[in-house]
Amino acid sequence: MCYILYTLHVCNHWVPQPQPGHGPSKERLLRICEESEAMRLGNPCPTTEHRVSSRSQGMCDSCLWKKVSK
Ligand SMILES: [Zn+2]
Ligand SMILES: [Zn+2]
């Protein structure tokens, strides 16, 4: 199944991690799995798995901005 990797921050927000490369940001977030690559000629699966790949000890950017702008 194709998946999107997230960083889980202490504020409980999941922030997607773009992979390096070209194309629109939505395409850069989605990791195409091997089955999709082989069976669907590069088209992603109809369902996407959401995975936490790392945890951050800090808050996400939007929470940091909210804190700064207060
Ligand atoms: Zn897939
Ligand atoms: Zn947050």
Side-chain angles (χ1 to χ4, degrees):
M1 192 185 288
C2 307
Y3 58 97
I4 297 177
L5 294 179
Y6 291 84
T7 301
L8 179 59
H9 291 266
V10 285
C11 51
N12 257 330
H13 288 131
W14 292 39
V15 178
Q17 300 177 350
Q19 57 185 329
H22 303 286
S25 55
K26 255 190 182 174
E27 283 173 26
R28 274 194 289 134
L29 297 180
L30 185 69
R31 266 71 168 178
I32 306 283
C33 64
E34 283 177 23
E35 299 98 88
S36 262
E37 194 82 64
M39 306 289 293
R40 297 163 180 272
L41 297 172
N43 288 318
C45 296
T47 49
T48 306
E49 193 185 345
H50 299 269
R51 292 186 195 167
V52 172
S53 70
S54 63
R55 283 161 197 271
S56 170
Q57 297 304 306
M59 286 188 287
C60 72
D61 282 351
S62 65
C63 284
L64 282 175
W65 275 110
K66 269 184 224 158
K67 211 182 169 192
V68 167
S69 60
K70 257 177 203 170

